[in-house]
Amino acid sequence: MKRRLDFKLPGLLRSLDGPMTRELVQSPGKFGFGNVPLRMTPHGTVTSVCGFCSTGCGLKVHVDERGQAINLTADSSYPVNLGMACPKGWEALTPLGAKDRAVVPMLDGNAVDWDEALQVFCRRFGAIMDQHGAESVAFLSTGQIMCEEMFFLGALAKFGMGMVHGDGNTRQCMATAVTAYKESFGFDAPPYTYADFEESDVLVFVGANPCIAHPIMWQRVERNRHGPEIVVIDPRKTETAMAATQHLAIKPKSDLVLFYCLAHWLVVNGRVDLEYVERHVDGYVELVEFLKDFEFADHLEVLGLSAEEFELFARTVANGKRVSFWWTMGVNQGHEATRTAQAIINVALMTGNMGRPGTGANSITGQCNAMGSRLFSNTTNLLGGHDFTKAEHREKVAGALGMEVGRIPDRGSWAYDQIIEGIGEGKIKGLWMVATNGAHSWMNQKRFKELVGKLDFFVVQDMFGNTESAQLADLVLPAAGWGEKEGTFINSERRFGLGRKVSRAPGQALADFHIFRLVAEYWGCGELFRGWTSPEVVFEKMKAVSVGQPCEISGIEGYAMLAREGGVQWPLKAGDGDVVGKERRLFEDGLFFTANGRARLVFETPREVPEKVSEEYPLVLLTGRGTSAQWHTQTRTSKSAILRKLYSEELWVEVHPADAEGLGVVDGKMVRVVSRRGTVEAVARVTATVGRGQVFLPMHYAQVNELTIGVVDPYSRQPNYKFCAVRVEKDLR
C-alpha cells in the first residue's frame, strides 16, 4: 500500500487557536481550593454577601495580587448558606465584565462628562420644582443597592433636594408583608431565623416556590431531620409542590377563604391554643364571630378542594408541634394580599406557633436588600422604620443626623402606583429611577411606557444603559454594580451582611454612593452631607437613627464585626454582644411591638377578583419565577452564557392538556396569549403543572407585563400580578 506522506491531522497534533497549554495546566490553588488553572490561582480571598436574592449567601471571592476578583466559591463558614450557592451566585461576577456596561453618562443619546450630566440633572429637576412645587419630582429606589446608598438617596432627595415623593421597587414584592406585619405585630418584623426550616415538623408554603426562587433556603429544608410534613398551597404544581407531602392546588386567589376556613375549623374543633391567645393576642372574640360564615364544607367549590384534602391539611396544622408558615409573591401580589397575609398570621397566633424554634408566620423577602429598603430607604417610612407624620419621630431623626427638623417632610410619600399615575395626572413632571427597570417589571406595561413618555425629565441610574427603562430616559447615569462597591444588605432573616468591593467599575461608572455625593454638591446641599464620606460612616448614622426602634442596631460595632461574625441579625442593642452568632427569632417572650405588647388578629370579608374570566377571555393568567438561573428583568443574569443555557431564550407558556386539546394547541408550537391590555407570543408547553382554565407565564421576559392588570391591594398598594383574564390562540403562520 502506498503511504500518503502529505496527510495531516489539523487541530489534533497542533491547535492554531484556543487556550495555550500553560493556561490549562493546573496547580495547587491554596486556601483549600484544590487545583486550579495558574491564571486563576488566588492571592487571597474576600467574603462578600451575594447581590441577587434575599437569602443573603456568603461568597468567598478569590482575588489576585491587585485585590481584583478572578473567581469565587460559596463560603462554607457563612451561617446562611453553609457552603452552598445557586446558579446565580456562582455567576455573580460575570455581569461585571459584560461588554454592554454603561460606562459614560448619556444625555439624549449622546455621551457627556459627569460635570455636564450633573449640571443638566440639577438644572432640569430644579426648574421643574421651581415651577410646579416640591411634589412634582419623585424618585424610585430599589432593593438592589446597599443600605448605606438607599439611606443616602432617601436623605438627599427628601432632606437635601426637598422632594416629597419617593418609593422603591420593593413595592412590587414586599409591601404586603410590611403592611400586614405592621398591623398585626406593630412593626415590620419577620420573626424567623433560617434554622426554623430545619426545626419545623410541619412547613406550610403559601404561594411560594423556594425550590426555584430561593434554592438555598430549600436546601435548609432538606436538612430537616424531623421528617416534616411539607404542605404547598399553590394553584400550580410547582417544583416545590412536587417535593411536598401535600399539595393543595386551590383555585387562584382563594387562599384568603382557605385560611378563614382553617381558622374556623380550629375554633369548632377545639384546636386553638387559648392560653397563648389569652396572654398575647387581641381580637379573638371578634374573629370567632366573623368566622361563622366559613364552614369549610360550604366553600369547597370556591377552593377547588375535596373535603378529604381540606381535613387532612387542617389536622396536619392542628397536630403539628412546631408549625411554620411561609409565603412569598403568590400571596403578596394579589388584590386582597394584606388580608391574606394576615389570615396566615392569624392561624399562627391562634395555634401558638410563634416565637419558638420551627414556628412563625414568615414572609420570605425577594431582593437582596428588600429588607434594607423597608427600613432605611426613606420612602414611605421615615428612616429606621419611623413615621413622617409624628413630630417626635421627625425630631429624633433630625437630631441623630444633625439636621434641622424642618427639612423632614411631615407627610409620607405616594406609593409607586400613585407616582406613576401622578404622571398621567400632570402632577409628577420629573422622575429619577435608580437601579430598577420599571419599563419591564411594572404592571400594565404599555400604560407605564406611555406615562413615562409624558415626563419633562426622566433620569435612569443603572449598571446598563440598554435596559427597557434606560432606553426611555433623557439622562442615563452609569453606576457601579455589586462587587464594585462596599456596603451592607439585610436578608430575609434580618441579618446584616457585608458586601465588598472586589472589582473596579468600568469607564466612568461610579458607585451609587458617590453619585449621590456629587448630586449633593451640585444641588447646593453638600454641606448637609459633607461628613458622609464613606459607606461605613453612613452605617454609623443608620445605627444612630435606629436607637429605640425594634430594628435597633446600635450594638453592631462596624463592618469588621459583620465580617468576623458572618453577619448579624437585628435587633442588636449596645451591650447585647453575648447573643451575636446565636439563633435569634422575634417574640420569644410573647411581647409584640404594639402599644400594649399584644398581637392583633386582623380580618375582613373577602372581595371578588377585579377581572373575571369571560367567554372572550376564559383563562386565568398566573405569573411567577421561571428558573433558578433567572433574576427579575434579567438585566444581569442575561449576561451569563452559563445561565442562559439553563433557561429558554424564548418566552414560554404552560397550558393544561385538556385546554390545549380544546384550543388545538400543540406542545412546542407558537401561540398568542391575549388580555384586554395586550398580546404576546410564546412557545406552548402543554403540561398538567397548571390546572384547567389556567395558564402560566414566567415574569422574566419583557413582554409578559403587557398583559397584567393595573390593580393594587388597597392597603399595601402592591400590584396584583397573579390574576388576570386571558385567552390563548393558535399561531396560524
Side-chain angles (χ1 to χ4, degrees):
M1 177 183 289
K2 186 177 180 180
R3 295 179 179 177
R4 290 187 56 190
L5 301 178
D6 61 341
F7 183 74
K8 296 180 180 180
L9 296 173
L12 295 180
L13 299 180
R14 183 182 65 174
S15 179
L16 300 180
D17 56 15
M20 301 290 285
T21 302
R22 64 174 176 268
E23 296 175 2
L24 300 176
V25 174
Q26 296 190 347
S27 59
K30 305 177 184 178
F31 307 104
F33 295 143
N35 290 337
V36 297
L38 186 61
R39 62 185 174 81
M40 303 289 281
T41 303
H43 284 249
T45 64
V46 175
T47 297
S48 184
V49 175
C50 182
F52 277 108
C53 85
S54 65
T55 306
C57 295
L59 302 176
K60 189 170 287 187
V61 183
H62 312 176
V63 296
D64 61 18
E65 66 276 7
R66 302 167 302 158
Q68 299 296 292
I70 54 175
N71 205 352
L72 60 76
T73 47
D75 186 354
S76 60
S77 65
Y78 202 72
V80 168
N81 52 310
L82 307 174
M84 300 178 286
C86 79
K88 297 184 293 295
W90 286 107
E91 280 293 284
L93 291 172
T94 302
L96 304 183
K99 295 180 179 180
D100 57 348
R101 287 288 302 274
V103 295
V104 65
M106 300 293 291
L107 177 62
D108 297 326
N110 300 307
V112 296
D113 60 24
W114 274 104
D115 176 67
E116 182 175 354
L118 291 167
Q119 295 229 26
V120 171
F121 178 99
C122 294
R123 184 169 63 249
R124 296 281 298 274
F125 276 140
I128 292 171
M129 295 174 76
D130 287 343
Q131 183 176 355
H132 300 286
E135 296 193 50
S136 62
V137 170
F139 68 92
L140 290 175
S141 180
T142 177
Q144 294 292 146
I145 60 177
M146 273 61 180
C147 290
E148 297 79 359
E149 292 177 321
M150 55 182 58
F151 189 95
F152 200 155
L153 171 60
L156 167 64
K158 293 196 173 185
F159 308 158
M161 299 172 67
M163 293 187 196
V164 174
H165 300 307
D167 200 7
N169 60 15
T170 47
R171 179 70 59 180
Q172 296 164 265
C173 59
M174 299 316 306
T176 288
V178 173
T179 306
Y181 280 145
K182 283 183 177 179
E183 290 187 3
S184 297
F185 296 161
F187 195 77
D188 176 18
Y192 61 95
T193 179
Y194 291 163
D196 292 319
F197 285 122
E198 303 175 34
E199 295 296 330
S200 302
D201 58 9
V202 177
L203 298 101
V204 181
F205 292 96
V206 190
N209 187 14
C211 282
I212 291 300
H214 299 88
I216 305 307
M217 293 190 193
W218 182 253
Q219 289 186 304
R220 297 295 295 266
V221 175
E222 291 180 322
R223 289 166 55 93
N224 190 311
R225 298 179 180 179
H226 302 291
E229 283 287 322
I230 300 175
V231 183
V232 170
I233 299 169
D234 200 306
R236 181 169 168 258
K237 195 172 186 64
T238 64
E239 292 81 356
T240 308
M242 295 175 192
T245 58
Q246 297 177 44
H247 174 212
L248 275 62
I250 61 172
K251 290 183 178 180
K253 289 299 150 222
S254 64
D255 40 3
L256 179 57
V257 173
L258 174 66
F259 276 90
Y260 284 161
C261 289
L262 174 59
H264 178 270
W265 187 96
L266 293 169
V267 171
V268 298
N269 286 278
R271 304 308 295 271
V272 175
D273 187 341
L274 292 175
E275 181 182 355
Y276 184 88
V277 169
E278 289 170 4
R279 293 177 61 188
H280 304 297
V281 181
D282 284 338
Y284 179 69
V285 172
E286 294 82 358
L287 176 62
V288 170
E289 178 65 26
F290 170 80
L291 292 173
K292 289 181 178 178
D293 293 331
F294 290 94
E295 167 61 47
F296 79 89
D298 298 333
H299 296 277
L300 291 174
E301 184 176 350
V302 171
L303 298 174
L305 299 176
S306 67
E308 292 75 17
E309 287 176 306
F310 177 86
E311 290 203 66
L312 175 60
F313 168 52
R315 288 196 302 272
T316 299
V317 171
N319 293 334
K321 304 302 182 184
R322 300 177 306 279
V323 184
S324 57
F325 301 87
W326 309 85
W327 79 88
T328 58
M329 302 313 124
V331 169
N332 288 344
Q333 295 174 338
H335 71 290
E336 51 187 3
T338 300
R339 295 296 180 250
T340 304
Q342 288 166 328
I344 299 170
I345 293 170
N346 292 349
V347 169
L349 291 169
M350 292 169 67
T351 54
N353 281 294
M354 191 69 65
R356 296 182 290 109
T359 68
N362 305 326
S363 161
I364 301 175
T365 317
Q367 299 176 76
C368 58
N369 202 22
M371 177 59 71
S373 178
R374 290 152 71 166
L375 295 177
F376 292 109
S377 66
N378 211 32
T379 50
T380 50
N381 295 318
L382 182 57
L383 296 171
H386 290 93
D387 189 336
F388 282 104
T389 66
K390 294 183 178 180
E392 64 272 24
H393 284 195
R394 298 195 301 273
E395 291 169 1
K396 174 187 171 184
V397 171
L401 299 181
M403 294 183 179
E404 297 175 2
V405 69
R407 288 188 169 274
I408 300 179
D410 60 2
R411 58 198 184 282
S413 166
W414 284 349
Y416 197 131
D417 69 297
Q418 295 168 316
I419 290 172
I420 298 304
E421 290 303 317
I423 300 171
E425 297 166 359
K427 297 177 181 178
I428 298 292
K429 302 285 188 179
L431 184 64
W432 182 11
M433 182 178 287
V434 180
T436 187
N437 186 16
H440 176 141
S441 62
W442 194 245
M443 57 186 175
N444 194 359
Q445 185 187 106
K446 287 184 178 179
R447 176 164 174 76
F448 179 93
K449 291 179 177 178
E450 290 171 2
L451 292 176
V452 168
K454 296 180 179 181
L455 289 166
D456 290 352
F457 192 46
F458 180 35
V459 177
V460 169
Q461 185 170 313
D462 207 313
M463 288 176 65
F464 297 93
N466 56 2
T467 67
E468 289 84 358
S469 297
Q471 292 177 41
L472 302 175
D474 300 297
L475 177 64
V476 177
L477 302 179
W482 170 91
E484 296 169 343
K485 54 188 179 179
E486 190 171 61
T488 58
F489 294 140
I490 311 176
N491 76 352
S492 281
E493 61 169 356
R494 311 181 316 282
R495 183 181 300 271
F496 275 85
L498 185 60
R500 307 300 288 270
K501 181 176 180 179
V502 292
S503 183
R504 294 187 181 90
Q508 297 180 33
L510 296 173
D512 296 285
F513 185 90
H514 296 301
I515 295 174
F516 301 146
R517 289 197 73 199
L518 287 170
V519 169
E521 294 295 337
Y522 275 76
W523 190 268
C525 59
E527 189 62 35
L528 286 175
F529 305 100
R530 198 62 47 79
W532 298 36
T533 54
S534 72
E536 189 161 13
V537 167
V538 173
F539 184 77
E540 292 299 315
K541 297 182 183 300
M542 291 166 51
K543 289 168 56 177
V545 164
S546 75
V547 171
Q549 288 291 92
C551 61
E552 182 171 345
I553 53 171
S554 60
I556 299 179
E557 296 164 5
Y559 285 2
M561 181 180 185
L562 294 177
R564 181 179 69 248
E565 300 293 342
V568 176
Q569 287 180 286
W570 67 257
L572 187 72
K573 300 179 181 179
D576 286 350
D578 59 321
V579 302
V580 174
K582 298 178 181 178
E583 298 171 13
R584 292 194 295 126
R585 54 190 57 81
L586 303 178
F587 315 130
E588 291 179 326
D589 56 3
L591 294 176
F592 295 84
F593 300 121
T594 55
N596 65 0
R598 297 168 63 85
R600 306 184 188 104
L601 299 171
V602 185
F603 47 89
E604 184 178 351
T605 302
R607 295 180 292 113
E608 292 186 345
V609 293
E611 183 175 74
K612 296 182 179 180
V613 296
S614 64
E615 185 175 347
E616 185 178 5
Y617 301 98
L619 303 172
V620 173
L621 171 63
L622 310 174
T623 66
R625 192 81 63 186
T627 70
S628 61
Q630 293 171 288
W631 180 247
H632 291 189
T633 67
Q634 299 200 109
T635 300
R636 289 178 291 163
T637 49
S638 66
K639 311 305 178 185
S640 165
I642 292 174
L643 295 180
R644 289 199 305 272
K645 291 178 181 178
L646 301 178
Y647 62 84
S648 171
E649 290 286 349
E650 294 184 291
L651 174 64
W652 45 271
V653 58
E654 293 179 5
V655 184
H656 190 276
D659 292 326
E661 182 178 3
L663 295 167
V665 168
V666 177
D667 185 71
K669 298 295 185 180
M670 295 296 295
V671 297
R672 286 186 291 272
V673 185
V674 185
S675 78
R676 291 177 174 86
R677 290 154 294 282
T679 300
V680 304
E681 294 185 347
V683 177
R685 289 187 180 175
V686 179
T687 171
T689 54
V690 289
R692 293 194 65 172
Q694 303 164 29
V695 295
F696 171 83
L697 286 171
M699 68 180 189
H700 313 287
Y701 300 83
Q703 50 279 50
V704 170
N705 279 318
E706 292 182 16
L707 305 178
T708 50
I709 187 171
V711 170
V712 299
D713 173 84
Y715 303 105
S716 67
R717 307 208 67 83
Q718 183 161 348
N720 171 48
Y721 288 107
K722 301 302 184 187
F723 192 114
C724 71
V726 299
R727 67 173 180 267
V728 172
E729 302 173 347
K730 290 191 300 182
D731 191 330
L732 299 177
R733 289 177 296 179

